Amino acid sequence: MSYAWKIYMLAIVSFLVGTSEFIIAGILDKVADDVGVSVAAAGQLITVFSLAYGFGTPFLMAAAAKADRKRLMLYALAVFVVGNAAAFALPGFGALIASRVVVALSSGVFVVTALTVAAKLAPEEKRGSAIATLVMGFSTALIVGVPLGRLAASVYDWQAVFGGIGLLGLLALLLIAFTIPKTDGELPVPLRDQLRLLKNPKILVGLGITFFWIGGYSITYTYISPFLLEITGMSEKAVSIALFAFGIASLIGSKLGGFGTDRWGYRRTLLAGMALHAAWLVVISFAAQSAALMFPLLMLWSFSAWSSGPTQQYHLISLAPEATSIMLSLNSSAVQLAMAAGAGIGGIVVEGASLTAVTWIGAAGVALAVLLSAAAFGYLRVGTAARAARQEAAADKIGA
């Protein structure tokens, strides 16, 4: 089996892991009604998941540094199955929170390990595309997993969604066992050495870009289902279709992001994607009550937002190519902490203002990421645009 097919196998399992993470946003209103909490309180399930993922993953990856990567993925998937089974079988909001913590920790280990394996399997000149393929797996979770999850929750109940994910997790174990080769672990890297990378201003700024970009995205996406139901006035069926359209665009966007990274360089691709991301969120706020306009606008938002995924990961790897797994781990933590912050801020906005405000606040977060990127790449300094362009060309030539 070629390296490309092995990476696609990892992407398939990433789809399942992504579905388990993203599905809460798709069924948030149903969970809230069933367990007897407000939508804003239910949204904190995303906060809990993200905090566990963000803080737990670096510790677990440091502890498992020597482990064979394939075995580590299998262990992570086994715990993933247990966590989803708990969400299916155990009643109460407290049990659901606990299950989300278990799933978050196992997902973090699997995602970081899978990205590391994909980067090692692919030739150096194809790493951007390899990373984009794994991001595509998560995007596909938005395309198929989240809409089907909401549909299943409407026909049966939301617990059945997690039961199904647990069963598919068992199949994922077999898929990894028979398709992915053994990959050596790395020298153990203490957490203090991982955090030492944060003393590098470029790395710190790079992670800051991730935080504001994902934070702005999360503020809006966490509450997208109630937004479409209450503000836009969509029906249950229309929301499922809208989420499906959102996912289709995310798939296309992530693939274009990987292509753009390899073809045009990560600087231009990243800046363009995030600038459009912020712009479409603003436009959505003006068209919030038009279902006809909301469909294409959701796709444009998703397309631009997800184009930055593989681009930003490639950017961070280029900052410390000798510490790829550590950078991916730190970035995954930044993503999850941003998701937690976004869900928390979004909950405050929903409770204190209104659902319509989440798009404006989200756009502001992404705009901060654009400004931080422009400053990091030298585009905000007077008289250095040409120098930044030359540096970009040189960096891309080295990366190629």
Side-chain angles (χ1 to χ4, degrees):
M1 181 182 291
S2 68
Y3 83 87
W5 279 108
K6 293 172 184 175
I7 290 172
Y8 276 115
M9 294 301 102
L10 290 174
I12 290 173
V13 182
S14 295
F15 157 75
L16 182 65
V17 174
T19 297
S20 184
E21 176 175 356
F22 298 137
I23 191 62
I24 284 292
I27 60 175
L28 196 64
D29 55 311
K30 296 184 178 298
V31 174
D33 289 342
D34 190 57
V35 300
V37 299
S38 67
V39 170
Q44 301 319 301
L45 287 168
I46 296 175
T47 301
V48 169
F49 184 101
S50 299
L51 287 174
Y53 190 126
F55 285 114
T57 299
F59 286 97
L60 294 175
M61 291 304 299
K66 286 186 175 181
D68 171 74
R69 302 292 94 176
K70 176 180 178 178
R71 182 177 298 178
L72 187 57
M73 286 191 290
L74 291 174
Y75 287 157
L77 284 173
V79 176
F80 175 83
V81 170
V82 172
N84 281 286
F88 169 71
L90 301 179
F93 192 57
L96 184 57
I97 290 176
S99 72
R100 295 306 287 169
V101 171
V102 172
V103 173
L105 294 173
S106 57
S107 297
V109 172
F110 177 83
V111 169
V112 174
T113 306
L115 286 168
T116 303
V117 170
K120 290 183 177 181
L121 289 175
E124 187 174 354
E125 69 276 8
K126 295 294 183 180
R127 283 183 178 176
S129 295
I131 292 171
T133 299
L134 256 69
V135 174
M136 179 185 69
F138 292 97
S139 301
T140 307
L142 292 173
I143 297 172
V144 180
V146 174
L148 285 184
R150 184 168 184 88
L151 182 62
S154 299
V155 176
Y156 302 102
D157 56 51
W158 61 267
Q159 290 98 329
V161 174
F162 293 108
I165 291 173
L167 290 175
L168 291 173
L170 295 175
L171 294 178
L173 278 165
L174 296 176
L175 191 63
I176 295 296
F178 288 104
T179 61
I180 303 301
K182 289 185 176 181
T183 304
D184 292 336
E186 301 172 346
L187 293 175
V189 181
L191 186 62
R192 64 178 179 273
D193 291 342
Q194 297 187 41
L195 296 178
R196 192 172 294 138
L197 285 174
L198 298 179
K199 293 182 179 180
N200 184 328
K202 290 184 178 180
I203 292 176
L204 191 60
V205 169
L207 294 173
I209 293 169
T210 294
F211 183 84
F212 287 113
W213 154 53
I214 292 294
Y217 171 86
S218 177
I219 287 170
T220 305
Y221 184 73
T222 297
Y223 299 95
I224 191 62
S225 290
F227 181 93
L228 295 176
L229 287 167
E230 298 179 24
I231 305 302
T232 308
M234 288 185 179
S235 64
E236 281 279 349
K237 181 178 179 181
V239 170
S240 295
I241 295 173
L243 291 175
F244 184 81
F246 186 96
I248 289 288
S250 71
L251 173 62
I252 299 171
S254 65
K255 289 302 290 182
L256 181 62
F259 174 81
T261 299
D262 293 334
R263 182 69 180 271
W264 302 306
Y266 64 82
R267 290 177 175 86
R268 281 174 287 184
T269 305
L270 185 61
L271 278 171
M274 290 193 302
L276 289 172
H277 181 172
W280 290 124
L281 283 176
V282 172
V283 175
I284 284 173
S285 68
F286 287 108
Q289 296 182 343
S290 172
L293 290 175
M294 192 55 60
F295 276 93
L297 289 176
L298 283 173
M299 294 185 73
L300 289 168
W301 168 36
S302 178
F303 174 85
S304 56
W306 281 85
S307 71
S308 301
T311 309
Q312 172 64 353
Q313 293 194 65
Y314 185 91
H315 166 215
L316 290 170
I317 289 175
S318 70
L319 294 177
E322 75 288 353
T324 297
S325 62
I326 297 177
M327 288 305 302
L328 291 173
S329 176
L330 289 173
N331 187 57
S332 292
S333 294
V335 167
Q336 294 302 326
L337 292 176
M339 293 285 284
I345 293 171
I348 294 172
V349 171
V350 170
E351 289 287 346
S354 67
L355 273 170
T356 55
V358 294
T359 54
W360 282 100
I361 306 299
V366 180
L368 288 174
V370 173
L371 292 174
L372 194 57
S373 299
F377 300 154
Y379 292 116
L380 293 184
R381 299 173 188 171
V382 177
T384 61
R387 187 191 315 159
R390 289 195 300 270
Q391 290 174 346
E392 177 181 352
D396 293 339
K397 185 176 180 180
I398 293 173

